[in-house]
Amino acid sequence: MKDFSKFGLIYLAHVGGTTLFYPTRVAVNLVAASNDEESPIINNSSGVLSILDGEGDDDGREEVNPPSSASAARALEASLADPVPGSSHIAIIIQTNFQLCAYTTSQLHVSMLGLFCDVQSFRRLSNVVFYHITRDSVKGAFKLGITAKQILRFLKMHAHPRIRSSNHPLVPSNVEDQIWLWNRERTRVQFEEVYIHQCQNAQEFQAVVTYAQDRGAFSWSDANKLRVFVKYAGAEVVVSFARRWRSRAAQRRARESEGRMRQSAYS
């Protein structure tokens, strides 16, 4: 029962002291499919490009460790460009628990899926493979230059025919939303090189902030500490303005002080 759960064929639930199981969409499709029905899902191409090394283990199980290779990335791009399946077909079912079920016998397809799926979760039957889509696996695909839009297009383009003929979405909404959220995590923080200018008083602070904003060099400011963060490219002109402002302020203070001294002398 646990093995069936790992393959995504059943869902185990513990209610009190009782263990219940429910068949998943993968199991339903396996049971409902007719053996004598012609299905393009299990058709193979005799000339499928092999990009995995090794012929298999001694016990008959095929050792598969899909690499994140440039060949697989190019094959993914080619698959997106040509949505018409060839002689080696792939049909994908995505479950709401982020498990991916792909009907294929092609090593190339297995490697392509390994670009954005967790290879540690790989399971295989005769004509179907199972993966899990995780945050780390999707972010690994982003580092290879694969975008969230490409991943979703690939999953929808090769969705199982039974899903296409039903009212279910080709990719569950929670899976699609999560992939977009993982994509947005890459732009949550933007680093920018800045210059910190320390003002002497509130008047200088306000003058420098206004000048930097007018010049398009303003980045951030701290009124409590009288600090102005300006973009490094515009730091020179802002610093020059601050020096001129301080010079004029010093001259004003000197004239005011001289005026007060003269007024005191006259009185």
Side-chain angles (χ1 to χ4, degrees):
M1 192 71 70
K2 291 182 179 180
D3 292 336
F4 286 148
S5 177
K6 290 181 179 179
F7 278 111
L9 300 176
I10 62 173
Y11 171 73
L12 296 177
H14 300 282
V15 180
T18 306
T19 301
L20 305 177
F21 72 91
Y22 304 92
T24 63
R25 288 163 60 184
V26 174
V28 172
N29 281 319
L30 287 173
V31 174
S34 174
N35 292 330
D36 57 353
E37 179 183 2
E38 281 193 12
S39 175
I41 299 170
I42 59 175
N43 290 339
N44 297 327
S45 172
S46 58
V48 175
L49 175 64
S50 177
I51 58 176
L52 301 177
D53 296 328
E55 295 296 328
D57 295 336
D58 295 335
D59 59 0
R61 291 180 301 175
E62 193 169 11
E63 182 181 357
V64 180
N65 185 19
S68 297
S69 63
S71 300
R74 287 194 298 269
L76 178 59
E77 294 177 359
S79 178
L80 291 173
D82 185 12
V84 180
S87 58
S88 179
H89 190 51
I90 179 173
I92 298 174
I93 297 176
I94 305 293
Q95 301 190 67
T96 55
N97 62 352
F98 291 85
Q99 179 160 272
L100 181 147
C101 167
Y103 292 86
T104 183
T105 56
S106 169
Q107 298 286 59
L108 178 61
H109 291 154
V110 173
S111 183
M112 289 164 61
L113 293 172
L115 290 173
F116 56 86
C117 295
D118 182 14
V119 295
Q120 301 298 326
S121 64
F122 176 77
R123 300 289 185 275
R124 185 165 199 167
L125 296 178
S126 59
N127 69 325
V128 61
V129 295
F130 298 90
Y131 276 110
H132 262 94
I133 300 175
T134 64
R135 178 175 180 268
D136 291 338
S137 64
V138 173
K139 287 204 164 188
F142 293 157
K143 292 180 180 179
L144 294 175
I146 300 173
T147 64
K149 185 177 181 180
Q150 286 179 315
I151 294 174
L152 293 172
R153 279 186 59 204
F154 177 81
L155 296 177
K156 293 177 181 179
M157 188 178 296
H158 299 287
H160 195 286
R162 290 184 180 271
I163 297 180
R164 292 184 179 277
S165 60
S166 66
N167 295 327
H168 298 288
L170 301 180
V171 176
S173 57
N174 68 310
V175 176
E176 183 172 357
D177 292 343
Q178 188 60 66
I179 291 177
W180 282 117
L181 288 174
W182 286 332
N183 180 64
R184 293 176 183 174
E185 286 182 2
R186 299 188 299 164
T187 56
R188 288 186 301 178
V189 178
Q190 294 183 351
F191 292 95
E192 186 177 35
E193 192 173 6
V194 297
Y195 174 83
I196 303 176
H197 175 73
Q198 180 66 57
C199 300
Q200 296 179 346
N201 50 56
Q203 292 78 13
E204 179 186 351
F205 174 81
Q206 189 60 44
V208 172
V209 168
T210 302
Y211 182 83
Q213 290 175 343
D214 294 340
R215 290 281 182 171
F218 178 79
S219 181
W220 189 70
S221 62
D222 186 348
N224 294 327
K225 296 183 179 181
L226 300 178
R227 291 180 179 176
V228 182
F229 295 74
V230 296
K231 298 177 182 178
Y232 200 81
E236 186 176 353
V237 293
V238 174
V239 171
S240 298
F241 169 80
R243 289 173 179 171
R244 292 195 304 269
W245 189 93
R246 290 180 181 179
S247 177
R248 291 194 297 267
Q251 292 175 3
R252 286 195 302 269
R253 288 194 298 270
R255 289 195 298 268
E256 291 174 358
S257 177
E258 184 179 355
R260 287 193 297 268
M261 291 177 60
R262 290 179 179 179
Q263 186 177 3
S264 299
Y266 290 146
S267 61

